Amino acid sequence: MDTLDRKLIAALSADSSTSTAELARNLGVARSTVQARIERLEGSGVIAGYTIRLGEPVERRRIRATVLLQIEPRATASVLSRLRALSEIESCHSTTGRADMVLQLVAETTEELDQALDRIGAFQGVRATESLIHLSTKFDRRT
């Protein structure tokens, strides 16, 4: 990857809906150059896909939680397959320390969040859960 690739990735990260023509104008190169670079970056796996970011009014209404899971030995695979089926789970990470996994959950209501937490806690192989409800975001480097 060279400087142009990095600038192109930065521009697409800021707004993936920017047209190829606008990217070319902003980067000072031909539209065909931008298109070829994007295709190469996608083909090599550097760009794995495109997504949307929800606006602040929608994000503020959503309820987020971090959930720490303790899992019985040898139950990780079965617990993980059940976790994948829950749409409220945004991410799941294995960890070191007192928790075996850390989940990031999001729900539209406290009732939805409570139901998801109840389902997770009832999974065979889950020893214990600890839920940390997010109250406010002080800063977020991802946005």
Side-chain angles (χ1 to χ4, degrees):
M1 277 195 345
D2 62 12
T3 302
L4 180 58
D5 288 338
R6 284 189 286 279
K7 287 179 180 179
L8 181 56
I9 289 169
L12 288 170
S13 295
D15 184 358
S16 63
S17 68
T18 306
S19 71
T20 306
E22 186 175 341
L23 288 167
R25 267 191 311 280
N26 294 341
L27 296 171
V29 296
R31 189 185 129 337
S32 59
T33 300
V34 169
Q35 186 62 45
R37 294 287 183 121
I38 290 172
E39 288 172 6
R40 184 175 51 77
L41 291 167
E42 289 172 342
S44 67
V46 172
I47 295 177
Y50 301 89
T51 188
I52 62 165
R53 275 191 332 246
L54 296 175
E56 188 62 29
V58 173
E59 279 298 321
R60 270 195 309 256
R61 288 192 308 262
R62 299 174 95 194
I63 300 160
R64 296 187 171 280
T66 297
V67 179
L68 309 177
L69 292 184
Q70 291 179 358
I71 299 171
E72 294 175 7
R74 297 187 198 94
T76 301
S78 64
V79 169
L80 191 56
S81 73
R82 289 188 199 107
L83 292 173
R84 278 194 174 98
L86 295 180
S87 62
E88 295 88 355
I89 299 175
E90 287 186 320
S91 64
C92 174
H93 308 275
S94 60
T95 62
T96 61
R98 65 185 172 93
D100 299 302
M101 289 185 188
V102 175
L103 311 176
Q104 294 296 317
L105 275 69
V106 65
E108 299 298 322
T109 66
T110 55
E111 183 178 355
E112 286 178 17
L113 182 62
D114 189 40
Q115 290 171 357
L117 293 171
D118 285 347
R119 285 194 300 273
I120 293 167
F123 287 164
Q124 185 174 353
V126 172
R127 249 191 226 168
T129 66
E130 181 179 350
S131 304
L132 307 164
I133 309 301
H134 300 198
L135 299 177
S136 67
T137 300
K138 302 304 183 188
F139 68 90
D140 186 348
R141 295 191 200 284
R142 294 174 299 155
T143 56

